[in-house]
Amino acid sequence: GRACVRLPAVTAVLYGALAALALLGVRDVLFLYEENRCSMTYMYEYPEYLKIKLPKKTARRYPAYELYLYGEGNYAEENKNLLLTGIPVLFLPGNAGSYKQVRSLGSIALRKAEDVDFKYHFNFFSINFNEELVALYGGSLQRQTKFVHECIKVILKLYRDREFAPTSVAIVGHSMGGLVARALLSLKNFKPELINLLITQATPHVAPVLPLDQYLTDFYAAVNNHWILKAQDLRNLTTLSVAGGFRDYQVRSGLAFLPRLSQHDSALSVVSSAVPRAWASTDHLSIVWCKELILATIRALFDLIDENTRQITEDPRKRMAVLKHHFVRHPAKMFEENPEALMELTGAFTWITVKASKWTYSVYNDSDGKYFTFPLASHRKSHSHVYCENSMLDTSSWIYGCMNNNSLTCLEATDLSWRAELLPTTKVVILKLQDYPSLSHIVIQVPPAAGNKYTLACEFFKEDSRTVQLPVTHLLSFGLSSSKILLNSSGLLYNVQLQHFNQIYQAFKIYIESHCQSLKERKPSVYRLHIPWSHEDSITVVKVPSFTEISAKLHIARPQNDSRVPELNIYSSSDCQYEVSNTHLFHGFYPYNLVFQIIRFHAGALPVYVISNILLAYGGQLSTLKGTGQCLDFSHELVRTAKPYKVEPLISIVVFLHGFNWFREIWESLSLPEVDAAVLSSQDAWFPLVSLILFLFGTGIAYWSGIFFCISLRLFSSLWLSLMRPTGPQKDNRLITPRRLCGVLSLALVSWTTCGAFAVFIIYLQYLCKVLKETSQNSSEHPVKTQSSMDSTSKAAQQLSKSATAEALNSLKMHVTILYLFTWIVLLNLPSLIYWLKNLRYNIRLDPDPCRATAIILVCILEILMNSSTSAVKSSKLLRIAAKVPLPLSVAMLAFGRMHLYKVPHFVTFSLLLHLLCCIV
């Protein structure tokens, strides 16, 4: 029981605080986000899934996969003979996803088709991937991609000889399904014209969330490299990526942004919180059924139909225009490919001239139509912009630009409603007068309103008077700098520029307090956090007066060649004052929010830092064993050896030198892999303090999880002692015996014929039983030995007994540390074990197996190492090397393991191999 010794209270509290801070960061990512603003999608009739018969060769090659056609009610009955006449759309589920997730898209598309009397309709197909864990095991991604290719050919054959037979399939992919869809284009025999539209939902395009095996990272590299190198071949494919925002803690939105290709404009990436008419962040699953997002997707699909071919248009420019209309900027009008440039304003409407710079008009049961004209000549000198808003959220035109000088009529007008933007409670237009030199008037149309009540307002203003700067907290301010501004003019629009807000590690709160002169009912205020370099805006609607808190965080950093500044747009009430600040008591404390951003972006790398700390403590134990002949417990060695200055400076220097071409050339000539921190730095997802903070978190987690591990061992050893009869000391002290050799060969065979992770798990259980047995023996024998030594007459026997007890305790301490280190390796290999167990009915052998080779080596090492003692290691000539190697291995682990978690077991295996050699040599 003495293998785990407590440290001084101060150290324990320090490491406890570090572990607690890391856990708080995890809690923030998992639970502290906006409430779910999505509506659930419901089916109008019972959903049915018709299984499509596949060619025998395909069915035999992919026994676990299936293809289905979605249907409801009469529509499902009509399609049972597969005489399809619609537009094919294929849904690909993601990690552990179900083919039944297609029902939200399929059901709403069916209702929309009914609205147009089935002039156009879509046939939604879905693939059953057997709910495979492809985000954790990449070995089946290539197989899934090839199966999708076969399904596309089967789907297109169903439409053969139809009047409007499709030549391509639109694909909607959720999560990893979106990546599989992109991978289709990297297949050698795939024809790119088979897909012309791809919509991905919460798909991690940039990199895997957890790079747990090489097949996963290689798959990503192949797909992303193909999309960059073959960009010209992808011009006819239009791709939309929708990210979930901060509610999606599984796939952060920065990973869902498609690689930027300068050659062509056929890819669009948006965050769901910025999508018009949705304006809601979604979690990883709700993005599939979020009614607001599904409606936007279906509306876009119907607008993409070409009337001549009755299929999705072949014009890539129109496809992109439709997607931008529904997912980026909605003008509150139905999509038109070529809207009329000029028109004449007619009708028996009253013409009213408005000369004031500010105008408001409330409409309620107006029986007569009106045209309000605003002459621009008088405003051009004193004002730079005009802003108009309309709370009537219909899709008709309402604002025009007049090109003649007669204010009483407008013979020739341009429809400025296309310049409008839809917000949750109003539609707004902002025009820069300088951009419209030919316009003489602006005309607002107010049609007769039967029972409708709405408000219109316009104002002319100078941009400088409505733009204010708000400096935000930066890395070295530690939340101590505060900024506050008061907006006390009577304007309808303010732009608050957030100065120096351009990095992902910046996270703070913005507080807006509104005060109004009277208590009358007024329209809600709209606050929009606008990020100009990516479509990741967030919108908040509040009643006034009110106190509002807005969380300001970025999904992606500002590109290096971009100088634009994020803005807080305040669409206000004219008789209210607004006070804007970026700190409020301790709520905006910067380091606290900084921790949360680090966890959000780099939580996947925490296991690497924990294992690196354990490896340093393990090396410290070997070093102490060599120097003093004694083995300190894990906790003491962790405090002594886990120093950031031993590890971090070297990595920081390498990352800095990677910025120079000459160093990169030398590095590449040595065939060294790229340092992970340098890759993250090039993606603007890295800064020097990240690694230091993660290392300290790793130390705290390693310490407290180590304490928990030791306590658990004690409890289980007590249980072991009560259930098992204590056995005497082992008589055969040989490391290699025929029985152990048979055990090694058996587990190596298990690893080769079934699953490497399974063999690793078996050897782990063996080692655990061995340590529990030794722990129980140590706790039971210790008092007995003390009594016998007191009664002994022989001093030599007493000394021998003490020496044997100390040696047994040293060995136990070493075994506990190795088992603790091995526990983390088992956890990293667990996903492939789960995948293998889930697919056992289809194949007893996991192929490909990411940890087969490592498993065989680990089995050989641990079968011998678990029976070793520190007495054999002390006298080894290799102990000096074995004690020094963990430090460089820890550095290498942090340099090359952050974005490649599967490399971590290799470093640990090498260290254990040296320990094994110390037992032999």
Side-chain angles (χ1 to χ4, degrees):
R2 292 185 296 167
C4 313
V5 180
R6 289 177 184 170
L7 283 180
V10 177
T11 310
V13 168
L14 174 65
Y15 288 143
L18 287 169
L21 202 54
L23 291 173
L24 274 173
V26 172
R27 172 180 162 268
D28 173 75
V29 172
L30 296 183
F31 303 112
L32 298 184
Y33 42 66
E34 66 178 72
E35 75 283 358
N36 184 16
R37 298 210 293 260
C38 279
S39 308
M40 176 65 84
T41 309
Y42 294 100
M43 280 74 257
Y44 287 82
E45 297 175 274
Y46 191 77
E48 294 183 39
Y49 306 90
L50 178 65
K51 188 175 176 181
I52 307 292
K53 191 177 180 182
L54 298 171
K56 287 182 180 178
K57 186 180 176 183
T58 305
R60 195 165 51 248
R61 190 181 295 172
Y62 308 101
Y65 302 158
E66 296 165 326
L67 175 65
Y68 288 89
L69 172 66
Y70 178 80
E72 290 178 20
N74 292 333
Y75 170 78
E77 283 296 321
E78 290 168 9
N79 287 331
K80 280 189 175 174
N81 55 10
L82 293 178
L83 297 173
L84 307 176
T85 56
I87 302 165
V89 179
L90 177 60
F91 176 79
L92 305 181
N95 177 57
S98 167
Y99 66 95
K100 293 181 180 180
Q101 288 172 317
V102 73
R103 62 184 176 269
S104 296
L105 285 163
S107 185
I108 288 184
L110 193 56
R111 301 287 83 78
K112 179 81 172 172
E114 286 174 354
D115 290 344
V116 295
D117 294 326
F118 280 91
K119 182 183 177 183
Y120 313 114
H121 71 279
F122 290 87
N123 301 129
F124 274 87
F125 297 85
S126 184
I127 290 181
N128 178 15
F129 282 133
N130 193 31
E131 299 185 9
E132 290 181 334
L133 299 169
V134 283
L136 305 177
Y137 168 74
S140 63
L141 282 167
Q142 196 68 27
R143 188 161 58 244
Q144 284 192 3
T145 307
K146 289 176 179 175
F147 180 73
V148 173
H149 184 199
E150 296 300 321
C151 286
I152 289 172
K153 290 189 280 189
V154 169
I155 290 168
L156 291 176
K157 277 182 186 176
L158 295 174
Y159 295 86
R160 191 182 289 170
D161 304 325
R162 300 288 186 272
E163 185 183 354
F164 297 101
T167 57
S168 62
V169 174
I171 295 181
V172 178
H174 172 239
S175 187
M176 294 299 286
L179 187 74
V180 168
R182 284 181 63 216
L184 283 167
L185 294 135
S186 64
L187 294 177
K188 288 180 180 177
N189 56 346
F190 185 79
K191 297 174 183 175
E193 58 270 19
L194 290 178
I195 316 174
N196 59 10
L197 177 68
L198 169 59
I199 299 174
T200 67
Q201 302 169 324
T203 296
H205 292 292
V206 178
V209 177
L210 287 173
L212 289 167
D213 66 61
Q214 191 170 355
Y215 305 115
L216 196 56
T217 54
D218 287 353
F219 188 81
Y220 264 90
V223 172
N224 286 330
N225 288 341
H226 181 87
W227 274 58
I228 292 167
L229 296 173
K230 303 287 184 179
Q232 292 295 334
D233 299 341
L234 306 176
R235 283 177 298 180
N236 291 322
L237 171 64
T238 304
T239 311
L240 168 69
S241 173
V242 183
F246 289 113
R247 275 187 66 84
D248 189 349
Y249 58 83
Q250 293 183 45
V251 176
R252 62 177 178 84
S253 296
L255 292 178
F257 279 73
L258 288 157
R260 293 180 180 180
L261 306 175
S262 57
Q263 293 91 336
H264 60 96
D265 183 27
S266 65
L268 179 64
S269 301
V270 298
V271 179
S272 62
S273 60
V275 174
R277 304 170 82 172
W279 297 300
S281 176
T282 63
D283 60 57
H284 197 63
L285 287 178
S286 70
I287 199 168
V288 173
W289 54 254
C290 178
K291 187 177 179 180
E292 290 77 7
L293 266 183
I294 299 298
L295 283 169
T297 306
I298 297 302
R299 287 181 190 125
L301 285 174
F302 273 87
D303 281 343
L304 285 165
I305 297 171
D306 186 326
E307 288 187 8
N308 297 320
T309 63
R310 299 213 174 179
Q311 295 294 326
I312 287 176
T313 178
E314 294 295 322
D315 182 0
R317 282 177 296 183
K318 182 185 175 181
R319 291 198 298 259
M320 185 51 69
V322 169
L323 293 178
K324 284 184 176 178
H325 178 93
H326 288 282
F327 287 90
V328 177
R329 185 188 179 96
H330 199 296
K333 284 180 69 67
M334 305 295 282
F335 177 79
E336 291 179 32
E337 189 174 359
N338 298 305
E340 287 185 51
L342 297 171
M343 61 184 67
E344 187 179 345
L345 297 182
T346 57
F349 283 22
T350 307
W351 289 80
I352 302 170
T353 303
V354 180
K355 293 184 178 179
S357 62
K358 188 173 180 183
W359 167 83
T360 305
Y361 184 75
S362 293
V363 182
Y364 183 60
N365 273 345
D366 281 20
S367 57
D368 300 326
K370 295 180 179 69
Y371 285 126
F372 291 93
T373 68
F374 299 81
L376 298 180
S378 59
H379 294 292
R380 287 190 184 276
K381 289 182 181 178
S382 54
H383 303 108
S384 63
H385 288 71
V386 60
Y387 165 83
C388 292
E389 62 183 23
N390 183 352
S391 63
M392 180 64 155
L393 302 181
D394 62 353
T395 57
S396 58
S397 295
W398 61 283
I399 181 168
Y400 304 89
C402 208
M403 298 187 184
N404 61 298
N405 292 323
N406 185 359
S407 62
L408 297 177
T409 58
C410 193
L411 301 174
E412 204 176 39
T414 179
D415 191 353
L416 296 175
S417 307
W418 291 104
R419 303 281 187 274
E421 183 172 12
L422 182 66
L423 295 174
T425 60
T426 185
K427 48 190 179 185
V428 302
V429 175
I430 305 170
L431 302 174
K432 189 176 183 180
L433 298 179
Q434 193 179 338
D435 294 343
Y436 301 90
S438 61
L439 296 187
S440 60
H441 295 75
I442 283 176
V443 179
I444 301 287
Q445 181 184 16
V446 182
N452 289 327
K453 185 178 180 180
Y454 61 98
T455 307
L456 298 111
C458 284
E459 66 171 343
F460 292 86
F461 64 90
K462 260 194 171 178
E463 188 179 23
D464 296 346
S465 67
R466 297 297 169 82
T467 306
V468 291
Q469 278 84 31
L470 181 71
V472 304
T473 50
H474 55 83
L475 185 62
L476 299 176
S477 68
F478 295 103
L480 301 176
S481 63
S482 64
S483 304
K484 186 182 287 187
I485 53 174
L486 186 65
L487 310 172
N488 55 7
S489 68
S490 58
L492 297 171
L493 172 71
Y494 299 98
N495 293 320
V496 180
Q497 293 184 340
L498 304 174
Q499 297 291 321
H500 317 299
F501 179 39
N502 49 35
Q503 296 297 329
I504 56 162
Y505 55 78
Q506 292 175 293
F508 54 95
K509 305 282 189 187
I510 300 173
Y511 300 93
I512 306 172
E513 192 169 1
S514 58
H515 305 279
C516 301
Q517 293 172 4
S518 62
L519 296 174
K520 67 176 183 179
E521 188 181 343
R522 50 178 59 79
K523 68 182 179 71
S525 289
V526 178
Y527 307 142
R528 175 168 68 176
L529 184 62
H530 173 59
I531 312 300
W533 57 81
S534 65
H535 304 298
E536 55 174 282
D537 294 7
S538 59
I539 288 179
T540 308
V541 181
V542 295
K543 292 180 179 179
V544 285
S546 63
F547 180 80
T548 309
E549 177 186 294
I550 295 173
S551 183
K553 291 179 276 196
L554 293 174
H555 292 294
I556 57 170
R558 185 174 70 186
Q560 290 182 352
N561 55 353
D562 200 323
S563 60
R564 290 173 293 176
V565 180
E567 288 183 340
L568 175 67
N569 306 134
I570 299 177
Y571 300 92
S572 57
S573 294
S574 58
D575 61 339
C576 296
Q577 286 186 338
Y578 293 82
E579 191 177 275
V580 184
S581 62
N582 64 359
T583 51
H584 181 75
L585 298 177
F586 296 104
H587 295 293
F589 187 51
Y590 187 67
Y592 187 71
N593 290 311
L594 170 67
V595 166
F596 294 163
Q597 283 296 82
I598 289 173
I599 295 296
R600 185 181 301 282
F601 280 81
H602 302 288
L606 268 177
V608 184
Y609 285 89
V610 174
I611 295 169
S612 174
N613 273 279
I614 299 169
L615 197 60
L616 287 171
Y618 167 64
Q621 282 184 319
L622 290 174
S623 179
T624 308
L625 187 67
K626 179 187 174 297
T628 64
Q630 300 297 316
C631 185
L632 288 177
D633 66 284
F634 171 78
S635 302
H636 276 104
E637 285 297 355
L638 185 70
V639 175
R640 190 177 69 84
T641 57
K643 307 295 183 188
Y645 60 79
K646 293 181 178 180
V647 176
E648 291 302 321
L650 184 60
I651 297 172
S652 298
I653 290 166
V654 172
V655 172
F656 172 74
L657 291 174
H658 252 82
F660 300 99
N661 288 329
W662 60 268
F663 183 81
R664 281 203 302 272
E665 287 170 7
I666 294 170
W667 191 269
E668 287 167 8
S669 67
L670 295 171
S671 299
L672 291 169
E674 203 168 1
V675 177
D676 289 350
V679 177
L680 290 166
S681 185
S682 68
Q683 295 173 359
D684 296 316
W686 197 253
F687 62 99
L689 278 181
V690 166
S691 196
L692 175 63
I693 293 168
L694 286 173
F695 188 90
L696 293 173
F697 285 167
T699 310
I701 293 168
Y703 173 77
W704 278 103
S705 59
I707 294 289
F708 177 76
F709 184 75
C710 282
I711 292 169
S712 301
L713 283 179
R714 282 188 205 172
L715 291 172
F716 283 117
S717 67
S718 302
L719 188 65
W720 181 282
L721 197 61
S722 61
L723 295 175
M724 304 285 186
R725 289 180 62 189
T727 56
Q730 196 173 321
K731 292 180 181 178
D732 192 351
N733 291 322
R734 290 180 300 164
L735 282 174
I736 303 171
T737 63
R739 186 178 175 182
R740 286 170 197 162
L741 203 59
C742 286
V744 168
L745 291 172
S746 300
L747 286 176
L749 189 65
V750 166
S751 178
W752 188 258
T753 56
T754 59
C755 170
F758 183 50
V760 167
F761 188 66
I762 292 171
I763 196 76
Y764 174 76
L765 292 177
Q766 271 186 247
Y767 205 158
L768 180 63
C769 292
K770 177 81 177 175
V771 170
L772 288 174
K773 185 180 173 183
E774 285 189 16
T775 307
S776 59
Q777 280 180 355
N778 184 271
S779 56
S780 63
E781 287 175 16
H782 183 255
V784 177
K785 285 186 178 179
T786 308
Q787 187 64 41
S788 64
S789 64
M790 287 170 65
D791 298 338
S792 175
T793 53
S794 170
K795 286 185 180 180
Q798 184 182 357
Q799 192 65 35
L800 193 65
S801 175
K802 280 186 179 179
S803 176
T805 304
E807 203 58 59
L809 188 60
N810 283 338
S811 296
L812 180 59
K813 287 177 182 178
M814 186 61 74
H815 284 310
V816 167
T817 301
I818 293 171
L819 185 65
Y820 179 41
L821 186 59
F822 189 39
T823 302
W824 284 89
I825 303 306
V826 171
L827 289 174
L828 288 179
N829 288 329
L830 210 54
S832 61
L833 176 62
I834 295 167
Y835 181 91
W836 173 72
L837 288 169
K838 200 166 178 292
N839 289 272
L840 202 54
R841 57 182 168 157
Y842 299 108
N843 203 335
I844 198 168
R845 189 174 195 257
L846 181 64
D847 188 37
D849 189 343
C851 51
R852 182 169 288 133
T854 312
I856 292 171
I857 296 167
L858 273 172
V859 161
C860 297
I861 292 170
L862 292 170
E863 184 67 51
I864 298 169
L865 211 56
M866 73 171 76
N867 297 292
S868 66
S869 67
T870 49
S871 55
V873 177
K874 279 183 199 176
S875 57
S876 174
K877 295 175 183 177
L878 292 174
L879 183 57
R880 177 182 289 182
I881 298 169
K884 287 184 177 179
V885 159
L887 176 59
L889 284 179
S890 291
V891 175
M893 193 185 292
L894 295 184
F896 305 114
R898 285 189 187 106
M899 295 176 69
H900 305 83
L901 290 174
Y902 62 87
K903 291 182 179 178
V904 171
H906 304 164
F907 297 113
V908 174
T909 302
F910 184 73
S911 192
L912 293 175
L913 179 63
L914 286 174
H915 190 151
L916 172 66
L917 292 174
C918 288
C919 297
I920 299 169
V921 180

